[in-house]
Amino acid sequence: MTGLTRLSAAEMATLLRDGEVSSVELTQAHLNRIEAVDGAVHAFLQTLPKVALAEAKAADAARAAGEDLPELAGVPIAVKDVLATKGLKTTCGSKILANWIPAYDATVVRKLREARLPVLGKTNMDEFAMGSSTEHSAYGPTHNPWDLERIPGGSGGGSAAAVAAFEAPLALGSDTGGSIRQPAAVTGTVGAKPTYGQVSRYGLVAMASSLDQVGPVARNVLDTALLHALIGGHDPKDMTSLNEPVPPVADAARQGLAGDVKGMRVGIVQELGGRGYQPGVEDRFHEALEVLRHLGAEIETVSCPSFRFALPAYYLIMPSEASSNLARFDAMRYGIRVEPDAGPVTVESVMGATREAGFGPEVKRRVILGTYALSAGYYDAYYGNALKVRTLIQRDFENAWEDVDVLVSPTSPTTAFKLGEKLDDPLAMYLADVATIPSNLAGIPGLSVPCGLAPDGLPVGFQILAPARADAFLYRVGGALEAVLEDQWGGPLLDRAPALPVATEGADQ
Ligand code: GLN
């Protein structure tokens, strides 16, 4: 069967259920697609053809045996290399973990295996998920399928690019400050950061534990919801895991796709727009708002005054937590071990030489920033004050929820920038997450859905935020938007990505 890789995950699931395609065929089609285009995209750090085909075979056998399988069983998936995969190299995009083979699966990976989704490979990322462009990967950048000279966002640029390039219908990412949503926005894919605690962090290599969250990436809202539902739920191995069922996100997506958002109160965040936001991004964002208004949503503007301090607060809290989390990479327990060129070989000198050789410049910058912010004389002035700002941001959200059901903004202030453009300017790079960071600080869920192309021909993301545990709202609003916009566009936006013509897909050869 041709064109398999162009289908949505839900369509693949239907074909599998009806016996019209096997998981082995689907998996092989994606492996072929990866073979054909990943030389140009570099979404994967590692592909797992043998493992994936064996998993696909097992999925087909389970189906043939009449096992009761979850909806997505047999649909292949890509996994960000920040998630531990038992027996399979997990590098976090870092040299320091170049040789790390975890002895266990992350809970979300275990769930994929139990649900019988073949894992195609591990995707590229900024080292330890620090970045917005995937250029901080120790293994070379990923390229945006819309324009190979441009960044695919970060840190999860590999997962977003794999999905955008039809190398995988689904992918897992992690979002500490926007690393699922910003890459989704700039690649024309859909990505969600679930409510903090709704998806297990067990086996997710920690960046900033109070902000980190695993989430789904896909090409449409329903597929994203189906994956969200599959990976969510209580996990006794994660102390911060919520002990409650995942909200009905797939039902909400279907409700939205049917156009049902009448009466929903949608608040535009006044502070997430204007200066620094490209006019082309704002235009698409406002047109999307008109779509929601036409469907009967009530639109108003809401002010969240503390949001202007979100970025500085994040860049104190995140490095503080990261500097502490990354202390475990000490040359003794995980990864590579480097001895000093000269002088005695001591615990300290080996630790120093290993960290010097193993960590890239962005990771070092954050370890230094975080160590400074936590140091005795500066703790109150930096870390302490940042925590107070975090509380103010949470209060801004609480106040907003008294008037609206969801808040919306552009996901990213700009479309995909050129590779290299912001590499020497950390502050400019940090600003890519100005609209996504507040929700991480508050632990609330967020979704990015494509809302069209800017005049530069690149995709724009529409961000939806909801109260904690109200993840279903995201999918209802996102689904409604997607249904109308795809109608206007005459099909999915990604069908128009020019950099990788359909010709490379051929017959899924
Ligand atoms: N780009 C942000 C940062 O560099 C977000 C990273 C993330 O969400 N993992 O910290």
Side-chain angles (χ1 to χ4, degrees):
M1 193 182 284
T2 60
L4 283 178
T5 58
R6 310 298 283 194
L7 302 173
S8 71
E11 287 167 338
M12 292 179 197
T14 304
L15 291 181
L16 283 163
R17 195 196 54 213
D18 295 347
E20 290 187 29
V21 73
S22 68
S23 178
V24 168
E25 285 172 282
L26 265 181
T27 303
Q28 189 60 57
H30 286 94
L31 290 168
N32 294 346
R33 173 72 178 167
I34 293 169
E35 183 77 31
V37 303
D38 208 53
V41 179
H42 191 43
F44 286 89
L45 289 176
Q46 182 188 189
T47 53
L48 303 163
K50 280 203 192 114
V51 177
L53 285 169
E55 287 169 344
K57 218 168 149 188
D60 288 335
R63 197 176 296 277
E67 263 182 43
D68 191 17
L69 296 172
E71 181 162 354
L72 290 175
V75 177
I77 186 164
V79 173
K80 188 177 179 185
D81 210 22
V82 71
L83 290 160
T85 42
K86 185 177 177 178
L88 302 167
K89 211 162 69 172
T90 299
T91 69
C92 290
S94 180
K95 264 196 256 169
I96 211 162
L97 286 182
N99 59 359
W100 185 46
I101 298 184
Y104 66 103
D105 274 331
T107 294
V108 288
V109 172
R110 177 177 59 74
K111 287 189 179 222
L112 298 183
R113 296 201 201 284
E114 284 171 3
R116 299 197 176 282
L117 278 74
V119 175
L120 295 164
K122 304 293 293 289
T123 57
N124 198 12
M125 54 184 284
D126 286 295
E127 184 174 4
F128 287 108
M130 297 176 183
S132 304
S133 70
T134 320
E135 293 167 293
H136 296 311
S137 166
Y139 304 102
T142 296
H143 300 257
N144 191 321
W146 287 82
D147 176 349
L148 297 172
E149 309 267 283
R150 290 179 187 268
I151 59 108
S155 64
S159 282
V163 170
F166 298 90
E167 296 173 86
L170 300 169
L172 289 186
S174 64
D175 192 312
T176 303
S179 283
I180 292 175
R181 290 163 289 160
Q182 182 259 5
V186 301
T187 58
T189 53
V190 181
K193 180 202 103 64
T195 293
Y196 185 78
Q198 200 175 87
V199 178
S200 169
R201 289 184 299 111
Y202 178 75
L204 166 70
V205 177
M207 177 184 175
S209 311
S210 77
L211 303 162
D212 297 341
Q213 195 56 189
V214 179
V217 183
R219 283 190 293 267
N220 66 41
V221 171
L222 179 61
D223 288 358
T224 310
L226 290 170
L227 183 55
H228 184 145
L230 180 76
I231 58 174
H234 182 237
D235 181 10
K237 289 182 171 152
D238 173 359
M239 278 192 312
T240 58
S241 173
L242 292 171
N243 194 356
E244 56 191 56
V246 186
V249 286
D251 289 347
R254 292 194 179 97
Q255 188 183 359
L257 287 162
D260 180 2
V261 282
K262 203 164 162 44
M264 278 200 84
R265 296 164 308 162
V266 175
I268 307 167
V269 184
Q270 193 184 317
E271 286 74 12
L272 300 181
R275 204 164 70 94
Y277 287 74
Q278 282 173 353
V281 167
E282 298 228 66
D283 288 349
R284 292 299 88 77
F285 171 69
H286 286 289
E287 287 161 17
L289 281 168
E290 284 315 304
V291 168
L292 293 176
R293 199 193 301 274
H294 267 107
L295 290 170
E298 292 162 22
I299 318 281
E300 58 183 280
T301 301
V302 172
S303 175
C304 296
S306 304
F307 280 22
R308 64 197 170 101
F309 304 119
L311 203 72
Y314 171 85
Y315 276 95
L316 288 168
I317 294 169
M318 174 274 301
S320 298
E321 293 188 21
S323 67
S324 152
N325 274 324
L326 265 56
R328 63 169 63 87
F329 303 107
D330 57 6
M332 312 291 150
R333 288 177 285 185
Y334 312 87
I336 61 166
R337 179 179 191 278
V338 179
E339 291 190 0
D341 288 338
V345 175
T346 63
V347 169
E348 254 181 24
S349 71
V350 170
M351 213 180 276
T354 303
R355 288 167 71 87
E356 168 60 25
F359 286 148
E362 184 61 26
V363 174
K364 285 178 185 154
R365 175 161 29 238
R366 297 197 192 193
V367 169
I368 292 168
L369 272 174
T371 308
Y372 186 78
L374 291 176
S375 60
Y378 296 101
Y379 183 93
D380 287 336
Y382 291 112
Y383 186 68
N385 275 332
L387 288 184
K388 287 182 193 150
V389 171
R390 186 175 192 171
T391 304
L392 293 178
I393 289 165
Q394 284 161 350
R395 281 197 199 138
D396 276 357
F397 276 119
E398 291 306 322
N399 288 338
W401 305 138
E402 289 182 8
D403 299 321
V404 297
D405 299 312
V406 294
L407 288 168
V408 295
S409 75
T411 310
S412 163
T414 70
T415 55
F417 45 90
K418 287 233 163 79
L419 286 158
E421 195 179 313
K422 302 196 177 179
L423 212 42
D424 299 327
D425 187 350
L427 269 185
M429 188 76 91
Y430 296 171
L431 280 165
D433 293 301
V434 69
T436 46
I437 277 172
S439 51
N440 296 82
L441 290 170
I444 62 162
L447 178 75
S448 180
V449 290
C451 62
L453 301 180
D456 56 12
L458 296 166
V460 176
F462 184 96
Q463 177 175 239
I464 307 158
L465 305 172
R469 299 174 163 88
D471 304 54
F473 281 171
L474 306 177
Y475 290 97
R476 190 166 157 206
V477 176
L481 202 53
E482 178 182 278
V484 174
L485 290 177
E486 289 201 351
D487 242 25
Q488 290 178 4
W489 301 329
L493 193 65
L494 274 165
D495 285 352
R496 295 202 255 155
L500 298 166
V502 184
T504 53
E505 182 204 20
D508 293 327
Q509 67 302 77

